[in-house]
Amino acid sequence: MSRRAVSEMLDIADGYTAFCIDEAAAYVMGKLQSGATPIKRGNNSETAQLLQKGRW
């Protein structure tokens, strides 16, 4: 696992955005490390199509 901040890996320059991304990543990692299981709801095909079309 990387010790670099997620915001650094994503090359996020804005300080506030970087802070928010890093805090969210730390929260998710904490949940996963404590044994929480991700919940998958439906498929992501609609989101994937929006991303591919550049409409996200």
Side-chain angles (χ1 to χ4, degrees):
M1 187 176 333
S2 177
R3 294 274 184 214
R4 293 173 55 200
V6 173
S7 61
E8 184 181 338
M9 290 186 274
L10 296 174
D11 196 29
I12 297 174
D14 177 69
Y16 182 71
T17 302
F19 170 78
C20 292
I21 292 291
D22 293 338
E23 288 294 308
Y27 175 79
V28 170
M29 283 303 298
K31 286 290 197 178
L32 292 173
Q33 288 171 344
S34 70
T37 305
I39 299 170
K40 182 172 168 86
R41 297 184 181 166
N43 68 37
N44 295 320
S45 62
E46 184 177 323
T47 303
Q49 289 173 355
L50 291 172
L51 288 170
Q52 289 172 348
K53 293 178 181 177
R55 294 183 183 162
W56 184 258

